[in-house]
């Protein structure tokens, strides 16, 4: 009986040890694929706060300023008013902003959008699926996508208004 218990305990311990080793290997020794300049932007479909679906590929022919953000992120908070001002100037010139919130509640995101008067599409990435496809680890993250759907540039961190304007000019069709 004691030998049997020892065998069961040893087996359980071995399985746990293997799971731990695999987790450490997967997190620290495998590279996370990220979307970089020169690559095609992975397509996705997300719903905005009004329930309208937005598919990235539907924006072909226009420049897309794709911004991943969170309400808790101070640099995100600082860049949103500047993004709104530039959106108002560039939307008629063929440049759109798609703001993808990373897995927060509808209530928190609605309050944020209302507070800053955002009029560009704001979507919530439930489960962080799109964030994972793009390989994003830090916020904010901005992807500049040209009219053909290719990533022109990637910027990690907060942007000031002059840089946003420069990027909008860069992706203007």
């Amino acid at each position: 009986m004691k030998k049997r218990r020892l065998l069961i305990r040893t087996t359980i311990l071995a399985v746990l040890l293997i799971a731990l080793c695999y987790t450490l290997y997967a997190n620290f020794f495998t590279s996370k694929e990220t979307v970089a300049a020169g690559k095609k932007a992975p397509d996705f479909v997300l719903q905005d706060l009004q329930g309208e679906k937005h598919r990235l590929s539907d924006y072909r022919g226009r420049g897309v300023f794709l911004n991943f953000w969170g309400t808790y992120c101070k640099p995100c908070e600082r860049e949103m008013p500047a993004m709104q001002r530039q959106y108002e100037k560039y939307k008629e010139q063929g440049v759109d902003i798609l703001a993808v919130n990373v897995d927060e509640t509808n209530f928190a995101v609605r309050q944020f959008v209302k507070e800053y008067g955002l009029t560009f599409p704001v979507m919530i990435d439930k489960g962080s699926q799109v964030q994972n496809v793009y390989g994003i680890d830090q916020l904010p993250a901005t992807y500049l996508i040209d009219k053909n759907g290719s990533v022109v540039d990637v910027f990690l961190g907060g942007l000031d208004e002059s840089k946003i304007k420069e990027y909008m000019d860069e992706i203007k069709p």
Side-chain angles (χ1 to χ4, degrees), residues 99-168:
V100 179
N101 176 274
V102 290
D103 204 19
E104 292 186 84
T105 66
N106 284 14
F107 179 78
V109 175
R110 280 184 206 284
Q111 291 300 108
F112 187 93
V113 167
K114 184 178 175 184
E115 180 179 343
Y116 289 95
L118 305 179
T119 60
F120 47 79
V122 175
M123 299 148 284
I124 301 175
D125 183 15
K126 298 289 185 191
S128 301
Q129 293 173 353
V130 178
Q131 178 186 6
N132 291 335
V133 167
Y134 276 75
I136 298 167
D137 287 330
Q138 83 178 58
L139 297 177
T142 302
Y143 290 77
L144 303 170
I145 302 168
D146 68 13
K147 66 181 182 177
N148 301 314
S150 295
V151 177
V152 174
D153 204 352
V154 178
F155 187 84
L156 302 176
L159 294 165
D160 63 20
E161 190 147 6
S162 65
K163 196 67 175 170
I164 292 170
K165 182 184 181 327
E166 178 185 322
Y167 279 158
M168 297 288 235

Side-chain angles (χ1 to χ4, degrees), residues 5-169:
R5 239 183 295 155
L6 179 62
L7 180 63
I8 291 172
R9 287 179 181 166
T10 304
T11 304
I12 291 171
L13 185 60
V15 169
L16 289 173
L17 188 59
I18 289 169
L20 177 65
C21 289
Y22 174 76
T23 301
L24 290 173
Y25 172 77
N27 284 323
F28 295 110
F29 298 108
T30 57
S31 63
K32 195 174 192 180
E33 189 68 28
T34 60
V35 177
K39 292 187 176 182
K40 208 64 151 166
D43 200 14
F44 61 84
V45 178
L46 289 173
Q47 232 177 20
D48 66 20
L49 296 172
Q50 289 71 40
E52 185 181 334
K53 290 186 178 180
H54 295 266
R55 178 182 302 275
L56 181 61
S57 57
D58 289 345
Y59 289 86
R60 291 272 159 79
R62 297 179 63 82
V64 177
F65 186 95
L66 178 62
N67 182 265
F68 291 85
W69 66 284
T71 61
Y72 52 85
C73 164
K74 289 300 176 190
C76 302
E77 190 176 341
R78 285 190 296 270
E79 72 184 2
M80 284 294 174
M83 286 170 52
Q84 177 61 39
R85 286 189 294 274
Q86 294 307 312
Y87 174 68
E88 290 168 7
K89 292 177 184 175
Y90 282 88
K91 67 182 174 185
E92 298 302 321
Q93 298 177 45
V95 179
D96 287 298
I97 291 180
L98 297 179
V100 179
N101 176 274
V102 290
D103 204 19
E104 292 186 84
T105 66
N106 284 14
F107 179 78
V109 175
R110 280 184 206 284
Q111 291 300 108
F112 187 93
V113 167
K114 184 178 175 184
E115 180 179 343
Y116 289 95
L118 305 179
T119 60
F120 47 79
V122 175
M123 299 148 284
I124 301 175
D125 183 15
K126 298 289 185 191
S128 301
Q129 293 173 353
V130 178
Q131 178 186 6
N132 291 335
V133 167
Y134 276 75
I136 298 167
D137 287 330
Q138 83 178 58
L139 297 177
T142 302
Y143 290 77
L144 303 170
I145 302 168
D146 68 13
K147 66 181 182 177
N148 301 314
S150 295
V151 177
V152 174
D153 204 352
V154 178
F155 187 84
L156 302 176
L159 294 165
D160 63 20
E161 190 147 6
S162 65
K163 196 67 175 170
I164 292 170
K165 182 184 181 327
E166 178 185 322
Y167 279 158
M168 297 288 235
D169 278 330

